[in-house]
Amino acid sequence: MSSKRILVIMIAVLVALTASLTFAADQPAKAKKTAEAKKAETAKAAEKAPRLTIVEPVKDYGTIAKGEKLDWSFLVKNTGDSDLQIIAAKPGCGCTVADFDKVIKPGETGKVTAHVDTAAFAGPIAKTVTLETNDPTTPTSQLTIHAVVKPYVEAFPAGFVRFNLLQGDADSQSVILYSEEDEPFQVTKVEVPVDPATNEPAKWIKTTFEKVADADKAPNVGRPGQDQYKVNITVGGADARVGALADKVHIYTNSKHQPEYSVSVTGVVRPTLRVEPSILNFGEVTPNDVAATRMVMLHSNNLKSPESFVVSKAESSVPALVTASVKPSATKGEYEVTLQIAKDAKPGDVDGAVTIYTNDKVNPIITVPMKATIKAATPAVSSK
């Protein structure tokens, strides 16, 4: 190979090596420029993003009277360059309700309003509302209401009464109201709940109130020297409906901070007895079927003296087709009424009832509808 050719090859190799080294050296610089460009683009985009600025994130009401309803509008400003969207305002508990402006334009101010009912609280409270927004830097923010709830009027031993009654029975319980006011305390009026069926004061609840003698005052409660009042609450009687109790007795006072106080009336009114089943259907039967004998059970709900419940007799409205008999079971306050398709009952439909007589003051006579389709007995097949 000539020296000239060797020289050309060496120059080509040198050029290729130089180009490769230059390319490798350029890569970090290009990567750095790309990263810087992306960062600049992100920063530029961020400059156009919405910005949530809360003018006053915490509202402190200080000491307030129990039962006072707090309403506060938190001012929120959009200090960004695009629309601020409030996606949600989530209260920290069920007692706080929040309303809010959903979209706030750049440079403008909106409101998030929180409502707190303090009727169920006493002492220091802190209620929060969490905001969810499209602010990329702070997608969630928190608003807080602080207060010290002071009961100026309270009940001893508690602000509720609970009853467990049989239908027709009545029971009474009392609470004593006391006050922390400086001025002489007085109960002025007590109102019972309204019966939704009649839109009139409920007849199944009655109240009275009276000033408590000094010797009978609840100890260590209220301002010393203040009068206390006993409120007597009687629930039940003939007008009480079976089911759960969930109402309030409203007590009005001369307290300037807390003029109204509510006592919750809870519990249950139970039926005096249970009948199982309440409707009887024999289905299709022959007088000789096992299913031609059915039973109705009566159970007293009187837990104190179930033996006082008595079933005296049971009568079928169709005695030619279905007979009825009654006897006590082995369990106190429980009776068995046996219904039997008559052995000579003719085929056909039965649509009648059994009438059961008891000494229950609410349900002295119980009627259980009964149905049956009586079929002719299948003749016995002779073995001859």
Side-chain angles (χ1 to χ4, degrees):
M1 183 182 295
S2 64
S3 58
K4 184 177 180 180
R5 188 171 182 179
I6 292 172
L7 180 62
V8 170
I9 293 172
M10 290 179 64
I11 292 172
V13 170
L14 181 61
V15 169
L17 180 61
T18 303
S20 175
L21 291 172
T22 302
F23 177 80
D26 287 345
Q27 291 308 301
K30 289 182 178 179
K32 183 177 180 181
K33 288 181 180 180
T34 301
E36 289 177 351
K38 288 182 178 179
K39 187 175 181 181
E41 289 176 2
T42 302
K44 190 174 181 180
E47 289 176 0
K48 294 182 179 180
R51 286 286 182 273
L52 172 67
T53 300
I54 302 174
V55 178
E56 185 182 4
V58 178
K59 170 61 179 176
D60 193 338
Y61 275 90
T63 300
I64 60 171
K66 182 176 181 177
E68 187 174 336
K69 292 178 173 59
L70 309 180
D71 296 278
W72 180 254
S73 292
F74 292 88
L75 299 181
V76 291
K77 189 173 183 180
N78 181 5
T79 55
D81 295 322
S82 63
D83 288 356
L84 174 67
Q85 298 177 8
I86 300 180
I87 301 167
K90 298 181 178 180
C93 70
C95 63
T96 310
V97 180
D99 305 315
F100 57 92
D101 295 328
K102 294 183 178 180
V103 178
I104 303 172
K105 296 292 183 181
E108 295 185 359
T109 299
K111 294 179 180 180
V112 177
T113 304
H115 315 277
V116 181
D117 187 347
T118 66
F121 302 107
I125 62 170
K127 302 301 174 184
T128 61
V129 176
T130 300
L131 299 183
E132 295 180 1
T133 72
N134 65 336
D135 182 341
T137 58
T138 52
T140 61
S141 300
Q142 188 166 280
L143 311 174
T144 306
I145 288 179
H146 286 287
V148 177
V149 180
K150 180 176 180 178
Y152 284 88
V153 176
E154 193 57 278
F156 176 87
F160 65 89
V161 288
R162 183 171 179 81
F163 296 88
N164 188 341
L165 301 171
L166 285 178
Q167 186 182 16
D169 288 351
D171 191 16
S172 296
Q173 295 187 41
S174 301
V175 297
I176 293 178
L177 258 65
Y178 59 90
S179 173
E180 294 286 349
E181 295 280 13
D182 294 328
E183 295 78 10
F185 175 63
Q186 183 181 3
V187 170
T188 58
K189 182 175 64 172
V190 179
E191 288 184 353
V192 301
V194 172
D195 186 338
T198 62
N199 205 30
E200 298 289 338
K203 294 181 179 180
W204 51 267
I205 182 166
K206 297 176 175 60
T207 62
T208 61
F209 66 93
E210 58 191 327
K211 186 188 293 187
V212 179
D214 289 343
D216 298 325
K217 285 184 176 180
N220 305 318
V221 295
R223 184 174 292 278
Q226 274 283 27
D227 287 333
Q228 297 181 3
Y229 282 78
K230 178 185 283 188
V231 178
N232 307 300
I233 302 171
T234 302
V235 169
D239 296 301
R241 298 183 181 92
V242 170
L245 300 174
D247 282 292
K248 292 182 182 295
V249 168
H250 299 283
I251 304 170
Y252 297 89
T253 77
N254 67 340
S255 167
K256 65 180 180 181
H257 291 100
Q258 197 175 338
E260 183 179 346
Y261 186 91
S262 296
V263 174
S264 297
V265 180
T266 63
V268 64
V269 176
R270 297 178 289 116
T272 55
L273 54 87
R274 306 191 312 277
V275 181
E276 300 171 342
S278 58
I279 299 175
L280 187 62
N281 194 334
F282 287 87
E284 294 186 354
V285 292
T286 68
N288 297 323
D289 286 345
V290 173
T293 302
R294 302 293 292 273
M295 192 173 295
V296 175
M297 301 296 298
L298 286 85
H299 315 262
S300 172
N301 281 333
N302 188 336
L303 302 179
K304 295 180 179 179
S305 55
E307 69 281 356
S308 62
F309 174 62
V310 176
V311 176
S312 55
K313 64 178 179 177
E315 294 178 344
S316 169
S317 65
V318 283
L321 301 175
V322 182
T323 62
S325 61
V326 59
K327 69 173 184 179
S329 76
T331 303
K332 290 181 179 180
E334 185 177 84
Y335 282 80
E336 302 171 356
V337 175
T338 302
L339 301 174
Q340 174 71 53
I341 301 292
K343 296 299 182 183
D344 56 353
K346 295 180 180 181
D349 291 332
V350 176
D351 190 354
V354 58
T355 303
I356 305 169
Y357 298 87
T358 79
N359 68 339
D360 187 82
K361 59 185 179 182
V362 177
N363 301 291
I365 300 176
I366 299 163
T367 301
V368 178
M370 62 179 178
K371 293 181 180 293
T373 298
I374 302 174
K375 301 186 299 182
T378 304
V381 179
S382 175
S383 60
K384 294 180 180 181

